[in-house]
């Protein structure tokens, strides 16, 4: 991983950490957010660490497993990292569904946190 640009290393590490936490115990995700963080989950808006963790913790499934198909990371002009993830998830005994998720990461006092996040299932209800 040492030959990848630093923003790709940080972005990839964050993505791995996020989905490990989400799949194991999503109530522990609070450590990656700050009080100013924003989440858009399937069109619903949440702001603040507490509101985001409450939303993620209350999702209506007992177990989930994410499989990452692709991820892309870019540095932003203000020293943040934009990360886009595409993959599949399986919740409880439901069918496998595709999803897209975008994160904006910012280094605050030496720690990378998620300031903005957008999640959508890849459903085509035409």
């Amino acid at each position: 991983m040492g030959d990848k640009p630093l923003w790709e290393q940080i972005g990839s590490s964050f993505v791995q950490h996020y989905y490990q936490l989400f799949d194991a115990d999503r109530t522990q995700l609070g450590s990656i957010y700050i009080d100013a963080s924003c989440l858009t989950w399937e069109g619903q808006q949440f702001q603040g660490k507490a509101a985001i963790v409450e939303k993620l913790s209350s999702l209506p499934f007992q177990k989930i497993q994410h499989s990452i198909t692709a991820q892309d990371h870019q540095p932003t002009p203000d020293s943040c990292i934009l990360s886009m993830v595409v993959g599949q998830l399986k919740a409880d005994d439901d069918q496998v569904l595709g999803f897209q998720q975008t994160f904006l990461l910012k280094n605050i006092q030496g720690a990378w946190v998620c300031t903005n996040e957008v999640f959508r299932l890849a459903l085509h209800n035409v």
Side-chain angles (χ1 to χ4, degrees), residues 1 7 13 15 24 27 35 59 65 100 103-104 112 116 123:
M1 192 151 72
W7 68 82
S13 293
V15 165
T27 64
D35 289 335
L59 292 170
Q65 184 174 2
Q100 297 98 21
F103 302 95
L104 184 62
W112 286 93
N116 298 81
L123 301 176

Side-chain angles (χ1 to χ4, degrees), residues 4 29 39 50 53 58 71 84 98:
K4 290 184 180 179
L29 286 169
L39 166 68
V53 173
S58 69
Q71 53 183 301
M84 169 75 175

